[in-house]
Amino acid sequence: MQRTLSYGMGSLCLLFCGCFWLYWVIHTSYMSSKSTAGNTIEGVAYINGETSIGRIDDDFVCATLDWWPPEKCDYGRCSWGRASILNLDLNNFILLNAIKAFSPLKIRLGGTLQNKVIYETEGNGQQCNSFVKNNSELLGFSQGCLSMSRWDELNLFFKKTGAVVVFGLNELSGKTIDNRGAAVGPWNSSDTESLIRYSVRKGYTIHGWELGNELSGNGIGTEVSADQYASDIDSLQNIVQNIYAGFEVKPLVIAPGGFFDANWFSEFIKKTPKSLQVVTFHIYSLGPGVGDHLVDMILDPSSLDSVSHTFSSLQSILKSSGTRAVAWVGEAGGAYNSGHNLVTNAFVFSLWYLDQLGMASSFDTKTYCRQSLIGGNYGLLDTSSFAPNPDYYSALLWHRLMGNNVLSTNFRGTKKIRAYAHCSKKMQGITLLLINLDGTTTVQVYISTENDTSISTSTSQESQNPRTKFATMSSGSKIGNGTREEYHLTAKDRNLHSQTVLLNGQILTVVSSGAIPSLDPINVNQSDPVTVAPFSVVFVQIPYSNLSACS
């Protein structure tokens, strides 16, 4: 009787458990097909903590403010509104708080029209007018003017927000356009000298003065030869040294803020060994904003990798030239002509943007300026509402978590995972960035600080099952016990075109006062793999003391 009852209860239990298991499988399969429609694989992130491969500035994350007036339109869409340096609402609480949250944010003031800007300073004798659209003129607009009252307002704003300011100067001043369309003649520096003297008298702190915008190589609208540009930079360096004589810290002299052309850059850098502190170049690797395949390019690892040649070529030039100058990305919006609505201002662009930050760092690029802070279809902030777009939160997390020292990082398991690691910024240990370009596959990521060179000849079977090789590593090479902090970024409803981002499942949005929300991590057991959902980004902050690169 007892045996029969036990058997019956066991059968009921098995039946109940079987039903529950079946329900769970069906429910999980349904939810998986609805949200991720895919499978789970494993991979290993190998981080070499012995030496750093690069070092970035504390304020590596930089954003731009541009000159474009509301009349700037591309492909029938006018996306700039009142985001210009000349008319931006500097009293907007969201804007103020968004910049303050970085503490500090480096801001580059510049763009195409900077080469048509005059400055309303003493003695220039010119009327201070705004830009007017005129297709018959160079760059499609008339000359514009920065009044000193607006310059005062801007500098008060920068002081209030704690921003680090880089100002782009007019390199075309004094030049004429020859019959080949090139800008020739020496730079007329009188306007710039008046602006700098005024700024010093007012006590304004400028981190760097950048000469010119997109005039290197073939240039945009016109071009300046490398030889003439080098001569102009010597003039700017002399002005800075003279006006800031006696200052313990002088502003950086920066140029050329153009698209990379190896021959032009090589000649320019060779001729400015002492007068140039920063070499800037621009990146719009996705082509025109009107392109139909932008998302496909963002999700294609080979497309992302194609930009690495530019980074490596510039570093080779810098190392071989003997210059003291370092490399910055001075402007990068991905897709030129103001970007593409619901792509370059949506969640999908964080996959490109964060990969760019990681790649630039790994090639010892010191600063990366995003086009734009606000304006166009690629702003970190929405042009109309000032509300942060997804990339704002991606940038803020990078800024707070990724420290100066860059670590060599390799991922084995799938090409769709992009992995980058730095020493952590405000704690001992490392921060790992994982980007999943796959929309159907969850990846369970194991982490090792053992160099993976020993497994470079692994068989294809081992490569497909990286955990097998990981399990054979010495225990000392694995991340230890305890907990780690994770920050998971996903799009609302898993929609790549969403402008709403979730952090660890919670929607990020500013409160009514305009305050930026806190970015809080989840704590995860150190022995568990990192779960990287389809089309997601994960920052993993790992306390780890045994890394010589981070000591």
Side-chain angles (χ1 to χ4, degrees):
M1 180 71 174
Q2 181 65 34
R3 186 176 180 182
T4 303
L5 180 60
S6 298
Y7 179 80
M9 291 295 291
S11 298
L12 287 172
C13 182
L14 287 172
L15 181 62
F16 173 79
C17 291
C19 291
F20 178 81
W21 176 84
L22 183 61
Y23 165 79
W24 181 85
V25 168
I26 293 173
H27 178 72
T28 303
S29 298
Y30 168 74
M31 292 303 293
S32 176
S33 64
K34 185 176 181 181
S35 59
T36 65
N39 59 322
T40 299
I41 63 172
E42 294 178 342
V44 181
Y46 296 92
I47 304 169
N48 184 347
E50 295 178 2
T51 59
S52 63
I53 59 172
R55 185 173 174 83
I56 63 173
D57 291 340
D58 286 335
D59 48 12
F60 170 79
V61 173
C62 165
T64 68
L65 288 175
D66 212 309
W67 295 97
W68 290 121
E71 294 77 23
K72 160 67 171 171
C73 304
D74 300 284
Y75 320 118
R77 181 180 175 87
C78 305
S79 58
W80 284 87
R82 296 182 61 81
S84 167
I85 294 167
L86 296 178
N87 57 33
L88 180 64
D89 179 8
L90 302 178
N91 294 311
N92 183 279
F93 287 120
I94 299 177
L95 177 64
L96 287 163
N97 290 329
I99 297 174
K100 284 181 179 180
F102 279 83
S103 186
L105 176 64
K106 186 179 287 176
I107 297 179
R108 178 232 183 198
L109 283 75
T112 300
L113 294 184
Q114 81 180 52
N115 291 313
K116 302 203 73 172
V117 178
I118 62 171
Y119 319 118
E120 183 198 37
T121 55
E122 297 93 339
N124 69 5
Q126 299 188 61
Q127 191 171 355
C128 201
N129 296 321
S130 298
F131 294 105
V132 176
K133 189 170 180 60
N134 186 339
N135 292 330
S136 65
E137 291 211 26
L138 178 68
L139 305 176
F141 283 86
S142 68
Q143 180 177 266
C145 177
L146 173 64
S147 70
M148 289 304 95
S149 60
R150 181 60 175 178
W151 185 231
D152 293 340
E153 291 171 355
L154 285 162
N155 279 279
L156 178 61
F157 173 77
F158 297 142
K159 184 176 182 180
K160 189 183 301 184
T161 58
V164 174
V165 180
V166 173
F167 187 86
L169 298 163
N170 181 354
E171 156 68 348
L172 295 184
S173 179
K175 297 186 187 301
T176 58
I177 308 300
D178 68 11
N179 55 13
R180 298 180 299 106
V184 296
W187 174 52
N188 183 344
S189 62
S190 59
D191 209 22
T192 288
E193 188 167 357
S194 295
L195 175 66
I196 295 178
R197 288 191 183 280
Y198 177 88
S199 301
V200 170
R201 284 201 306 272
K202 299 286 283 190
Y204 299 151
T205 300
I206 305 300
H207 183 65
W209 298 99
E210 182 180 31
L211 185 59
N213 183 86
E214 296 178 356
L215 298 173
S216 59
N218 292 328
I220 299 298
T222 186
E223 63 191 66
V224 178
S225 70
D227 185 66
Q228 182 60 59
Y229 221 126
S231 176
D232 296 340
I233 279 295
D234 287 343
S235 298
L236 176 58
Q237 172 69 7
N238 289 335
I239 290 169
V240 169
Q241 290 299 317
N242 180 35
I243 296 177
Y244 289 92
F247 281 67
E248 185 176 348
V249 178
K250 297 177 176 62
L252 300 171
V253 173
I254 304 169
F259 293 105
F260 181 72
D261 177 299
N263 293 330
W264 192 100
F265 270 66
S266 182
E267 182 181 354
F268 174 67
I269 292 169
K270 191 179 300 182
K271 292 181 177 180
T272 54
K274 297 181 179 179
S275 55
L276 187 68
Q277 284 88 59
V278 179
V279 177
T280 47
F281 65 103
H282 294 182
I283 295 177
Y284 287 89
S285 57
L286 300 177
V290 74
D292 294 328
H293 303 289
L294 298 179
V295 173
D296 293 336
M297 295 173 70
I298 292 168
L299 300 178
D300 179 5
S302 62
S303 175
L304 297 178
D305 287 335
S306 65
V307 190
S308 65
H309 177 70
T310 297
F311 289 109
S312 62
S313 295
L314 179 54
Q315 284 302 322
S316 295
I317 292 171
L318 291 172
K319 289 176 182 177
S320 63
S321 69
T323 182
R324 296 173 298 175
V326 298
W328 288 11
V329 173
E331 183 181 311
Y336 59 80
N337 290 343
S338 304
H340 188 114
N341 189 40
L342 299 183
V343 175
T344 53
N345 55 7
F347 179 81
V348 66
F349 208 53
S350 278
L351 307 181
W352 180 88
Y353 178 43
L354 286 171
D355 188 71
Q356 277 282 297
L357 297 184
M359 185 182 297
S361 299
S362 67
F363 284 97
D364 203 34
T365 309
K366 304 302 183 182
T367 287
Y368 191 107
C369 298
R370 166 62 179 266
Q371 174 80 344
S372 60
L373 174 60
I374 187 167
N377 293 312
Y378 36 36
L380 296 180
L381 307 177
D382 183 84
T383 304
S384 300
S385 68
F386 291 79
N389 284 322
D391 281 4
Y392 172 84
Y393 295 111
S394 296
L396 187 55
L397 279 172
W398 173 288
H399 176 75
R400 290 180 176 178
L401 300 176
M402 305 293 269
N404 302 103
N405 289 348
V406 188
L407 305 177
S408 176
T409 307
N410 294 296
F411 186 82
R412 299 295 180 94
T414 170
K415 292 181 178 179
K416 286 287 191 173
I417 288 286
R418 313 286 287 185
Y420 301 96
H422 289 216
C423 298
S424 294
K425 195 164 193 175
K426 294 182 179 179
M427 62 178 285
Q428 194 171 38
I430 57 178
T431 299
L432 172 65
L433 167 63
L434 297 166
I435 304 166
N436 191 351
L437 304 176
D438 195 319
T440 62
T441 302
T442 296
V443 184
Q444 300 286 346
V445 178
Y446 295 84
I447 303 167
S448 173
T449 54
E450 178 173 304
N451 197 324
D452 73 336
T453 54
S454 61
I455 66 163
S456 59
T457 57
S458 298
T459 65
S460 58
Q461 182 177 1
E462 287 171 333
S463 297
Q464 292 168 7
N465 186 12
R467 190 180 182 186
T468 302
K469 181 56 68 175
F470 180 82
T472 65
M473 292 178 184
S474 63
S475 59
S477 70
K478 299 180 187 178
I479 304 299
N481 296 321
T483 61
R484 61 174 183 260
E485 295 181 342
E486 294 183 0
Y487 303 78
H488 294 251
L489 295 174
T490 53
K492 183 182 180 184
D493 301 323
R494 300 284 178 181
N495 177 9
L496 286 177
H497 299 282
S498 175
Q499 292 180 286
T500 300
V501 63
L502 282 66
L503 174 61
N504 298 324
Q506 302 298 314
I507 290 177
L508 292 175
T509 184
V510 295
V511 299
S512 56
S513 65
I516 301 301
S518 61
L519 305 180
D520 300 320
I522 56 173
N523 291 309
V524 179
N525 192 302
Q526 200 75 282
S527 61
D528 294 340
V530 181
T531 301
V532 188
F535 289 152
S536 74
V537 170
V538 186
F539 287 91
V540 187
Q541 198 161 47
I542 308 160
Y544 195 71
S545 59
N546 239 0
L547 299 174
S548 55
C550 301
S551 59

